[in-house]
């Protein structure tokens, strides 16, 4: 018995069209002839010329959803196959993940059955395997620390204590801090030997805690001797980071004594380089169970990252429970052949959904808060709103021509209309619930990738532009975002957004934080305009980017390739003039999930680049060392 009844094999040839062509072959192992069917596949390499296919009939496309029919009368016998080609693509395929991510058949009776897919093969060119991502590395100092501290002067010991424990006289808060880091360690390394004990041990070493008003809140100092460890800290975050460093030192020395040692004596003086040390996760394209989100937050805390940017909505799904609008997490999350949203990016015959209840959110926020990670939620507006508009069709202008504009991802008419009164009533209620769930000072409102031409076919939008004396998509977007900012201000919150928030006149720079993603120069431009900036350029910090040019390396390539060495070496300050550096709040990794169809792909693409970005966020430039990092990075926990 075959493990699947149908399989779709695919290759890409660089010839045969302006951007090459796909050759697909469908194999039938069902035990019966196949006829009267349609085939659907999802792919980021989209078809834009419906006529440019051979031996198949193009039926429809919606973003990454493609549907074809075979030639009339075609039957695929059991054990047989059918081959068709598709040209008219919108770009070249560059990597093995640029082909079909999922497929299914719609049978003659209307039922849907899954089709297995393989990675895309490259024809008529050299398909090179991916290179090694990390060298062996070199340690000048044998300590397993991630990220590397600002300053350290240590003497390696010949052994290590079995555990570290709070000294007599430690406060209840000190002991609770050890318990918090110990619990995080156990979650990350369930088979690891505990680095801490809350009770004293003759085989251990005591930690003496000292609050030091001369240290900043996230700073700490470790003074180590043969008999005790003194941990001085500016605030509770600094205490946690000091304990985390101790856990890392002991874990490395215990598990890899051939490489790492525990200090016999010496000092670590440490504080972060930037105040914003972030990691973003897109949960709209692919849904991550709450256990995975919780584990990612533990990983962030292990790397001393302090912001979790939770991208909760996009075209593909709205993932946050809003009690005022339950349709958002019923109609707005279901993707499938017969569901409100069509399959996208890995979805097949079976419907998929998934959202975070408000109880889930509270639990995630509580865990993150205990670990000094600020959860910054994002609802992506006004663009990237297909799921929202499917769930709440009253948000549309019924007179607007269908498919009057398309987003860069191919979604038609996907932006909330600034001229529809219900838009603001909807957002007021959504924000009312969000501020109760998320204590963060910032709420991220997206503001990215609104297609030029959006709303220009909407009579309501035309009327609004006449009334306000504005013209064009981006001036209308600025009008919309200014109103959203007023809503946030009224609720005591600040606006965060992507760099396009500044388009069309933007919003007030006061209490606004923008993330520069399109290219590094954008961050300097935003700072000149008076915005505070977080640097997250796709060319270095987007963790969906492929890590090499090789065909067999998975990932996206619109921003080029981001090798771990490039990501590690990238300096966010770049060409920032001295007078603008105060505007640079920090850096952030972004995990966009179009390519993350498995845990294996997640871990391959995120690590070791996430700890590389953590080191860029924490470690002074003068203390960075690529070969040292490469020697320590394999110790990183993963999802």
């Amino acid at each position: 018995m075959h493990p699947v009844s149908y399989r779709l094999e695919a290759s890409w040839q660089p010839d045969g069209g302006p951007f090459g062509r796909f050759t697909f072959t469908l194999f039938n192992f069902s035990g019966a002839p196949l006829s009267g069917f349609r085939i659907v596949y999802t792919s980021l390499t989209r078809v834009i010329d419906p006529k440019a296919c051979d031996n198949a009939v193009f039926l429809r496309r919606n973003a990454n959803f493609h549907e074809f029919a075979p030639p009339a009368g075609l039957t695929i016998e059991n054990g047989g196959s059918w081959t068709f080609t598709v040209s008219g693509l919108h770009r070249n395929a560059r990597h093995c993940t640029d082909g079909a991510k999922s497929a299914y058949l719609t049978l003659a009776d209307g039922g849907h059955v899954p089709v297995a897919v393989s990675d895309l093969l490259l024809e008529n060119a050299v398909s090179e395997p991916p290179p090694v991502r990390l060298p062996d590395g070199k340690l000048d100092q044998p300590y397993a620390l991630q990220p590397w501290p600002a300053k350290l002067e240590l003497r390696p010991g010949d052994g290590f204590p079995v555990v570290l424990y709070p000294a007599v006289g430690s406060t209840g808060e000190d002991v609770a801090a050890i318990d918090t880091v110990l619990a995080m360690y156990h979650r990350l390394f369930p088979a690891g030997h505990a680095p801490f004990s809350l009770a004293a041990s003759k085989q251990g070493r005591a930690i003496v805690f000292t609050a030091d008003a001369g240290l900043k809140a996230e700073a700490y100092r470790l003074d180590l001797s043969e008999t005790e460890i003194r941990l001085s800290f500016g605030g509770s975050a600094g205490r946690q980071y000091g304990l985390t460093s101790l856990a890392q030192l002991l874990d490395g020395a215990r598990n890899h004594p051939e490489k790492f040692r525990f200090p016999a004596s010496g000092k670590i003086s440490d504080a972060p380089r930037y105040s914003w040390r972030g990691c973003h996760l897109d949960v709209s394209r692919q849904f991550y169970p709450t256990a995975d989100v919780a584990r990612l937050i533990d990983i962030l805390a292990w790397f001393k990252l302090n912001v979790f940017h939770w991208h909760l909505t996009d075209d593909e799904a709205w993932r946050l429970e809003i009690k005022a609008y339950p349709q958002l997490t019923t109609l707005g999350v279901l993707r499938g052949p017969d569901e409100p949203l069509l399959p996208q990016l890995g979805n097949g015959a079976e419907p998929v959904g998934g959202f975070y209840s408000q109880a889930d959110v509270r639990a995630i926020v509580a865990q993150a808060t205990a670990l000094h990670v600020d959860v910054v939620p994002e609802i992506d507006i006004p663009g990237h709103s297909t799921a929202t508009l499917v769930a709440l069709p009253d948000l549309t202008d019924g007179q607007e021509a269908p498919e009057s504009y398309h987003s860069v991802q191919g979604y038609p008419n996907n932006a909330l209309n600034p001229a529809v009164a219900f838009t603001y009533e909807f957002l007021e209620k959504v924000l009312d619930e969000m501020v109760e769930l998320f204590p963060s000072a910032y709420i991220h409102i997206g503001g990215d990738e609104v297609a030029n031409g959006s709303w220009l076919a909407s009579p309501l939008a035309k009327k609004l532009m006449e009334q306000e004396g504005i013209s064009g998509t981006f001036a209308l977007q600025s009008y919309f975002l200014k109103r959203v900012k007023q809503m946030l201000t009224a609720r005591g919150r600040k606006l965060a957004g992507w760099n396009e928030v500044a388009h069309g006149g933007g919003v007030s720079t006061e209490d606004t934080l923008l993330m520069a993603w399109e290219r590094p120069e954008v961050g300097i431009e935003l700072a000149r305009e008076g915005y505070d900036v977080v640097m997250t350029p796709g060319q270095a910090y987007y963790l969906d980017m492929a890590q090499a040019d090789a065909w067999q390396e998975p990932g996206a390539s619109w921003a080029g390739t981001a090798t771990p060495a490039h990501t590690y070496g990238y300096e966010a300050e770049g060409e920032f003039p001295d007078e603008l550096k105060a505007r640079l709040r920090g850096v952030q990794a972004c995990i966009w999930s179009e390519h993350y169809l498995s845990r294996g792909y997640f871990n391959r693409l995120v690590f070791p680049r996430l700890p590389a970005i953590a080191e860029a966020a924490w470690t002074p430039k003068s203390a960075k060392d690529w070969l040292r990092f490469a020697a320590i990075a394999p110790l990183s926990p993963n999802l």
Side-chain angles (χ1 to χ4, degrees), residues 146-163:
Q146 294 179 282
W148 197 252
K151 295 179 182 178
L152 74 169
E153 297 176 4
L154 299 174
R155 181 175 66 84
D158 294 327
F160 52 84
V162 172
V163 291

Side-chain angles (χ1 to χ4, degrees), residues 241-479:
Y241 298 146
L243 289 169
T244 302
S245 291
L246 288 172
Q248 292 173 350
L249 285 166
L250 186 49
D251 187 64
R254 189 193 312 277
N255 293 311
H256 302 277
E258 74 286 356
K259 289 177 65 175
F260 301 109
R261 311 275 283 278
F262 192 83
S265 61
K267 179 183 294 187
I268 296 175
S269 299
D270 204 9
R273 183 178 183 182
Y274 296 117
S275 62
W276 186 288
R277 307 182 302 281
C279 179
H280 150 290
L281 179 67
D282 160 26
V283 298
S284 180
R285 277 58 178 260
Q286 312 296 339
F287 180 70
Y288 296 79
T290 52
D292 286 353
V293 177
R295 182 169 176 85
L296 180 60
I297 287 171
D298 282 337
I299 292 169
L300 302 189
W302 185 252
F303 293 141
K304 303 182 178 75
L305 294 165
N306 67 344
V307 176
F308 174 53
H309 173 176
W310 204 356
H311 185 88
L312 288 159
T313 74
D314 215 295
D315 289 304
E316 288 81 359
W318 179 291
R319 302 292 191 188
L320 173 64
E321 179 189 18
I322 298 295
K323 293 183 178 180
Y325 300 106
Q327 309 96 306
L328 291 169
T329 46
T330 54
L331 300 176
V333 298
L334 285 175
R335 299 198 297 256
D338 301 314
E339 301 301 334
L341 296 166
L342 288 172
Q344 300 285 348
L345 300 178
N347 307 140
E350 294 297 320
V352 295
F355 67 94
Y356 304 99
S357 71
Q358 295 197 359
D360 294 332
V361 169
R362 289 190 178 94
I364 291 292
V365 169
Q367 175 193 340
T369 301
L371 293 171
H372 297 281
V373 175
D374 187 23
V375 180
V376 176
E378 178 185 356
I379 54 166
D380 202 347
I381 54 175
H384 289 280
S385 294
T386 297
T388 311
L389 296 170
V390 166
L392 298 170
D394 287 348
L395 288 168
T396 62
D397 178 354
Q399 303 175 81
E400 186 175 12
E403 303 209 19
S404 58
Y405 63 90
H406 289 80
S407 73
V408 67
Q409 287 84 12
Y411 286 94
N413 294 29
N414 75 328
L416 296 181
N417 194 320
V420 173
F422 181 39
T423 296
Y424 303 100
E425 177 187 339
F426 163 71
L427 290 175
E428 294 269 10
K429 291 182 179 179
V430 168
L431 292 174
D432 280 342
E433 296 192 31
M434 289 183 72
V435 297
E436 293 299 317
L437 293 170
F438 299 98
S440 172
Y442 287 95
I443 290 181
H444 199 294
I445 52 76
D448 62 314
E449 294 186 325
V450 172
N452 195 3
S454 298
W455 312 306
L456 301 187
S458 160
L460 289 175
K462 290 179 180 178
K463 182 179 179 181
L464 177 61
M465 286 190 282
E466 289 175 4
Q467 291 173 347
E468 296 295 325
I470 58 177
S471 63
T473 293
F474 300 120
L476 193 52
Q477 174 179 285
S478 176
Y479 167 87

Side-chain angles (χ1 to χ4, degrees), residues 529-571:
E529 293 175 31
Y531 291 105
D532 285 346
V533 178
V534 169
M535 292 295 285
T536 178
Q539 294 77 7
Y541 287 172
Y542 269 33
L543 301 186
D544 58 321
M545 291 298 114
Q547 297 176 81
D549 291 330
W551 177 267
Q552 295 174 39
E553 181 69 39
S557 55
W558 63 261
T561 58
T563 66
H566 172 70
T567 295
Y568 183 83
Y570 173 73
E571 275 295 309

Side-chain angles (χ1 to χ4, degrees), residues 71-90:
L74 177 81
T75 296
I76 308 175
E77 298 297 333
N78 179 49
S81 63
W82 160 56
T83 298
F84 64 102
T85 61
V86 176
S87 302
L89 306 175
H90 86 293

Side-chain angles (χ1 to χ4, degrees), residues 566-580:
H566 172 70
T567 295
Y568 183 83
Y570 173 73
E571 275 295 309
E573 291 185 10
E575 301 299 321
F576 264 75
D578 287 342
E579 67 271 17
L580 296 180

